[in-house]
Amino acid sequence: MASIDHTRTKPAGGKSHEHRSEVRDGMRIDWDVPIAMDDGLILRADIFRPVKEGRYPVILSYGPYGKGLAFQDGYPSAWQRMAEQHPDVAAGSSNLYQSWEVVDPEKWVPHDYACMRVDSRGCGCSPGFIDHFSLLEPKDFYDCIEWSRVQQWSIGKVGLNVISYYAINQWHVASLQPPHLAAMCIWEGAADFYRDMTHHGGIVCTFWENWYDMQVKTVQYGAGERGKRSRVHGELVCGPETLSEAELARNRSSLGDDIRAHPLDDDYHRARAPIWSKVKTPFLSAANWGGQPLHPRGNFEGFVRAAAKDKWLEVHGIEHWTHFYTDYGRKLQLQFFDHFLHGKKNGFEQRPRVQLQVRHIDKFVERGENEWPLKRTKWTKLYLDPAEGALSPRQPSAKVGARHASPLRDVQSFEAMGDGLTFLTAPLAQETEISGPSAVKLFVSSSTRDADLFVVLRVFTPGLKEVVFQGAIDPHTPVGQGWLRASHRKLDRKLSTPGRPYHSHDQAQPLKKGEVVELDIEIWPTSIVVPAGHRIGLSIRGKDYVYAGPSGGKLSNFKNELTGCGPFLHDDPIDRPKDVFDGVTSQHFGRDKRPYLLLPIIPPKQSGVIAGRGRRPRARKP
């Protein structure tokens, strides 16, 4: 071990951090480096770089999870599952420096990168007030990027390569256009604070309040011995100070209350969303088909809407964090950054702009494409037939809505907070690929002044057993999901497309009792190749999807049991009071009311219909 340099600096409160340098495990490491923000606050960073003297491009992260907290200590169940099922993740590293959702420096420093981890304001070893995704966060992030470029070990090119929260704030800092931000890999993030994160279709997602309790408060600066110690150097992950619970509470926003206080897409939310016209940094956007209801949408929206000329989209499956660390993901990231940061002519610029791991029942098949959504998509309507309980490319019989029709054929009702109904196609005549965003058109009334609609795109075997997948979090994830609060039905006509309705969420339009309203519901992008003989299903529910099979268990960093939607639930009683949402929801059918599911069918080499002939099943409860 080389000599150690100690430099003490004093933060607020009078106690000292210790900035020190050492050489170990083939890296030169600077611990707790102070970085001054423009308001005088000191953030702390750990920097890992090659031992040999030189100047290197920087891979930087800025976020709240505690730079000194090992993945294995903070998220033991996730680490154990990943390491056991994907041994390449842990291979070739001591894993001492492996932290949640950031790169492993032992696998990047040997490629001549400096890896820099910054604890965001109020978290880990950085003091301050926690206000996630506020305007101050991207400004701090900007300052860290520009600080790193003037260091003697930096070539002045900075790349961002991280997962989830760290990926979300990449869109935000890119909107500020730091001069030395040269490339970004946004791995399973989100973008729109309202639509992707806090309100799905206008319905509050309880994830963020629970996440705040489980993953942020536990590493808040000042937690002292209530937090953990670094397994590398033994120091407290949450800094040298110990604050009381009251002091900790005063040093952070009340995230759940703030979200509920802003039910519309107002200035609070818009200040926490990217400005797409200003996102010009070259980027690789990596999405997860199973990331609903948090991670995939923003990756697709960013790829389509960001102003950057150099941009690529990659889409994969399985757990949220896994492929970031597997050889598949790491080599893809390395090729991208080698090109944009090291300037290597490695052919990355010749890659297809879109790389899809197309999902099958039992595998993924890689395929390159040139755009998103795919130009050759055959947008196909499957109509809901209330008499047969079917999804069909043929419109229901004309007698629906006629004077002699039974009222039961014109209206279907279900408990507004219940399981609703499921519609199924006949067995498919041939293998059918669905890849892209989907949409549902419904005509709905309510016995109260509002209604929440949860739509679920599903696949069933010939024996009517549901096919589910390992999602980003939950092991039993359906093919696709969408949500809409009926009072939020207003569309933004400029941004909406038939396959991707875009709601303005700028005003509530309460229902009148018995009033029939037209709803267009977005189903987030997905991919599935459905085998011949299987069926496509659409469930219309009044609450979150629940898998009918065994429990998915629990992970150490989430409060709830995994029952099909992971931790992304919509069951806040304050947001969904029973006097408003626990009535009766009715679907309407008629000559001018033809509800349908719009699917992005990717045509096979030979044309054919998507649904085979045969007896159509009646609507059934899931």
Side-chain angles (χ1 to χ4, degrees):
M1 184 178 294
S3 61
I4 301 177
D5 172 61
H6 299 274
T7 304
R8 294 183 180 273
T9 56
K10 291 187 177 181
K15 296 191 177 182
S16 63
H17 278 286
E18 187 175 89
H19 167 213
R20 62 209 180 280
S21 298
E22 63 177 323
V23 173
R24 58 185 294 173
D25 295 316
M27 300 179 290
R28 185 176 299 279
I29 307 174
D30 296 294
W31 302 107
D32 283 324
V33 178
I35 305 175
M37 299 295 98
D38 59 6
D39 63 355
L41 186 82
I42 300 297
L43 301 185
R44 294 281 166 174
D46 292 341
I47 302 167
F48 307 82
R49 51 195 172 95
V51 175
K52 61 186 178 183
E53 293 297 329
R55 299 172 68 236
Y56 305 97
V58 181
I59 300 294
L60 190 150
S61 63
Y62 167 97
Y65 295 136
K67 60 183 175 55
L69 179 62
F71 196 136
Q72 306 93 310
D73 296 333
Y75 303 85
S77 54
W79 172 261
Q80 182 178 4
R81 177 191 295 180
M82 180 172 64
E84 288 178 354
Q85 297 181 5
H86 303 274
D88 55 324
V89 169
S93 173
S94 72
N95 298 299
L96 283 172
Y97 312 95
Q98 182 66 274
S99 294
W100 176 248
E101 298 186 336
V102 296
V103 300
D104 180 356
E106 286 187 274
K107 292 188 176 183
W108 282 82
V109 169
H111 295 279
D112 288 337
Y113 288 95
C115 298
M116 177 174 166
R117 297 174 178 170
V118 184
D119 278 340
S120 60
R121 189 175 289 245
C123 299
C125 290
S126 296
F129 184 83
I130 301 175
D131 189 9
H132 287 307
F133 306 109
S134 68
L135 290 173
L136 191 55
E137 276 210 331
K139 181 61 175 66
D140 286 349
F141 202 171
Y142 180 111
D143 290 346
C144 292
I145 291 170
E146 294 306 302
W147 177 90
S148 70
R149 63 98 180 173
V150 300
Q151 304 307 303
Q152 62 181 5
W153 41 261
S154 170
I155 66 171
K157 286 187 175 182
V158 180
L160 311 177
N161 187 29
V162 271
I163 315 175
S164 194
Y165 185 102
Y166 298 102
I168 294 167
N169 62 21
Q170 288 187 48
W171 297 121
H172 301 161
V173 74
S175 298
L176 299 180
Q177 300 181 335
H180 294 86
L181 177 58
M184 308 185 296
C185 177
I186 303 102
W187 199 277
E188 297 189 41
D192 189 315
F193 192 62
Y194 189 91
R195 292 163 185 81
D196 297 355
M197 298 169 64
T198 66
H199 293 74
H200 297 133
I203 308 167
V204 166
C205 178
T206 58
F207 167 75
W208 290 100
E209 187 167 26
N210 294 333
W211 165 84
Y212 205 44
D213 290 341
M214 300 292 287
Q215 294 183 243
V216 175
K217 294 178 182 178
T218 53
V219 289
Q220 184 177 356
Y221 178 87
E225 294 287 353
R226 288 164 292 185
K228 295 183 181 293
R229 289 185 176 272
S230 166
R231 64 167 52 199
V232 179
H233 50 63
E235 295 192 4
L236 291 168
V237 168
C238 301
E241 294 189 272
T242 299
L243 303 179
S244 69
E245 290 295 339
E247 288 174 310
L248 291 174
R250 286 196 295 270
N251 284 344
R252 62 178 182 250
S253 67
S254 181
L255 185 60
D257 291 339
D258 290 346
I259 290 170
R260 281 187 290 267
H262 296 273
L264 299 176
D265 186 18
D266 57 13
D267 290 343
Y268 169 81
H269 287 95
R270 287 192 288 271
R272 289 161 168 78
I275 303 171
W276 294 121
S277 63
K278 295 184 177 181
V279 178
K280 298 182 178 181
T281 304
F283 67 80
L284 169 63
S285 178
N288 187 325
W289 299 122
Q292 303 181 43
L294 176 58
H295 289 298
R297 185 180 184 275
N299 285 99
F300 289 101
E301 289 285 305
F303 176 75
V304 172
R305 298 178 65 188
K309 294 180 180 179
D310 294 318
K311 55 184 179 180
W312 285 263
L313 174 67
E314 185 275 344
V315 196
H316 53 269
I318 67 175
E319 299 94 348
H320 169 44
W321 47 83
T322 301
H323 266 320
F324 182 80
Y325 296 106
T326 62
D327 287 345
Y328 163 78
R330 184 176 54 83
K331 289 178 180 179
L332 177 64
Q333 299 155 27
L334 188 62
Q335 186 185 20
F336 170 74
F337 285 110
D338 277 353
H339 177 71
F340 283 101
L341 298 187
H342 276 300
K344 293 182 179 180
K345 295 181 179 180
N346 57 11
F348 187 88
E349 71 280 10
Q350 302 301 321
R351 294 180 65 94
R353 289 303 175 118
V354 176
Q355 178 176 311
L356 304 180
Q357 297 291 335
V358 178
R359 184 166 60 179
H360 292 243
I361 297 296
D362 58 349
K363 61 185 176 181
F364 294 88
V365 177
E366 185 172 309
R367 188 175 73 218
E369 299 285 354
N370 296 316
E371 73 288 315
W372 183 267
L374 307 186
K375 287 183 179 179
R376 68 181 186 279
T377 300
K378 180 182 178 183
W379 294 100
T380 303
K381 291 181 180 179
L382 298 181
Y383 293 91
L384 280 61
D385 187 332
E388 301 291 340
L391 289 173
S392 172
R394 298 179 295 275
Q395 293 192 22
S397 171
K399 67 181 180 179
V400 174
R403 291 181 180 178
H404 61 274
S406 164
L408 293 178
R409 295 175 64 86
D410 292 338
V411 179
Q412 284 186 323
S413 299
F414 59 89
E415 294 180 7
M417 299 182 80
D419 293 328
L421 293 170
T422 295
F423 297 81
L424 297 176
T425 65
L428 302 190
Q430 64 185 33
E431 183 179 82
T432 301
E433 179 183 342
I434 301 168
S435 289
S438 305
V440 178
K441 171 84 73 176
L442 297 177
F443 299 88
V444 169
S445 66
S446 173
S447 64
T448 69
R449 65 179 184 272
D450 214 338
D452 286 343
L453 282 299
F454 297 71
V455 297
V456 188
L457 182 61
R458 308 169 76 181
V459 169
F460 293 87
T461 68
L464 295 182
K465 179 181 179 180
E466 185 175 13
V467 178
V468 292
F469 302 89
Q470 172 62 62
I473 304 296
D474 202 296
H476 305 120
T477 302
V479 174
Q481 297 185 70
W483 312 261
L484 184 63
R485 178 158 289 173
S487 61
H488 285 236
R489 61 191 178 275
K490 178 184 173 185
L491 290 171
D492 183 323
R493 299 292 179 182
K494 291 183 179 180
L495 292 176
S496 290
T497 64
R500 199 287 313 265
Y502 192 98
H503 297 87
S504 61
H505 296 296
D506 59 0
Q507 68 177 118
Q509 299 175 324
L511 304 182
K512 297 176 183 178
K513 187 174 182 179
E515 175 190 15
V516 180
V517 295
E518 182 176 344
L519 306 181
D520 295 279
I521 305 176
E522 172 189 12
I523 295 179
W524 287 12
T526 190
S527 176
I528 178 63
V529 177
V530 186
H534 283 55
R535 303 174 191 259
I536 298 169
L538 177 70
S539 292
I540 302 169
R541 300 168 56 84
K543 62 180 181 180
D544 284 309
Y545 166 86
V546 176
Y547 175 56
S551 165
K554 292 186 71 173
L555 292 177
S556 56
N557 52 309
F558 300 125
K559 290 182 178 181
N560 64 288
E561 183 180 3
L562 304 179
T563 58
C565 291
F568 309 110
L569 302 179
H570 305 81
D571 55 1
D572 187 336
I574 299 175
D575 179 64
R576 303 189 72 203
K578 288 190 173 183
D579 64 318
V580 177
F581 293 99
D582 197 14
V584 175
T585 299
S586 299
Q587 298 182 86
H588 295 260
F589 305 81
R591 292 186 183 277
D592 60 343
K593 299 177 180 64
R594 304 286 195 184
Y596 59 79
L597 166 66
L598 182 64
L599 288 179
I601 304 299
I602 308 305
K605 293 181 180 179
Q606 296 180 350
S607 61
V609 297
I610 74 159
R613 296 181 180 180
R615 180 178 177 274
R616 297 182 226 167
R618 294 185 176 275
R620 67 196 70 228
K621 293 189 175 182

